[in-house]
Amino acid sequence: MKSRLNFYLFIAALVILDAALIRSPNLLGKIGLFVYKYHYLRTFPKALLTVFLVVGITIIFSETIRFVVKKQLIKNLTGKVLFFLLTALSVALAIKVGLDFSSGSYAHTGLRFRSGAYLLPAILVLVFVYGWLTLPKISLPFPESPVMTDDDNKPSIE
């Protein structure tokens, strides 16, 4: 439990860092935020709320999958497959962000803004991989041996 708390405190620090980076584009980036109506990134509190909501929803998905596996509502393998798919989607998002911010008008928005854009999908990947690695192991009950049962109808072996 303590390691999960430490992990989520680390994620909270990354969320604050990401919001600070996204909030500080260069002049061309500020013009782009205005032109493309990205009003949710114009101030630090708005950027923090946006990043917090995205990461918070990711954490809710991760913890929900962990909870239903722990309560045995779904199998451990199903949980692993779900985490794999969510991690793959996050990696695909990171690749898309990398492609978008390496050329075109986004490439001129400033190093801090681009770093913040790269950091958000990396946080999502971290959350899903952590959920995958800490998925509860479901132990199957040890089956009873048929020899050890006390059945009156069967002859005893002596």
Side-chain angles (χ1 to χ4, degrees), residues 81-152:
V81 168
L82 286 172
F83 274 122
F84 174 76
L85 292 174
L86 291 170
T87 303
L89 282 172
S90 299
V91 169
L93 178 65
I95 291 170
K96 182 190 178 320
V97 167
L99 292 175
D100 286 346
F101 279 84
S102 64
S103 62
S105 62
Y106 286 122
H108 304 291
T109 56
L111 181 62
R112 288 180 295 199
F113 186 79
R114 286 193 319 249
S115 298
Y118 297 142
L119 183 58
L120 183 58
I123 294 170
L124 302 184
V125 169
L126 273 174
V127 169
F128 289 134
V129 167
Y130 179 77
W132 187 357
L133 293 176
T134 60
L135 201 59
K137 309 286 189 271
I138 305 299
S139 60
L140 298 173
F142 192 73
E144 290 187 25
S145 172
V147 175
M148 297 301 289
T149 58
D150 224 7
D151 197 6
D152 294 334

Side-chain angles (χ1 to χ4, degrees), residues 49-74:
L49 180 64
T50 301
V51 174
F52 176 76
L53 285 175
V54 171
V55 174
I57 290 170
T58 302
I59 290 171
I60 289 171
F61 280 163
S62 178
E63 289 298 319
T64 301
I65 293 170
R66 285 175 44 98
F67 178 77
V68 297
V69 167
K70 186 176 182 179
K71 293 295 181 183
Q72 297 180 356
L73 298 173
I74 63 173

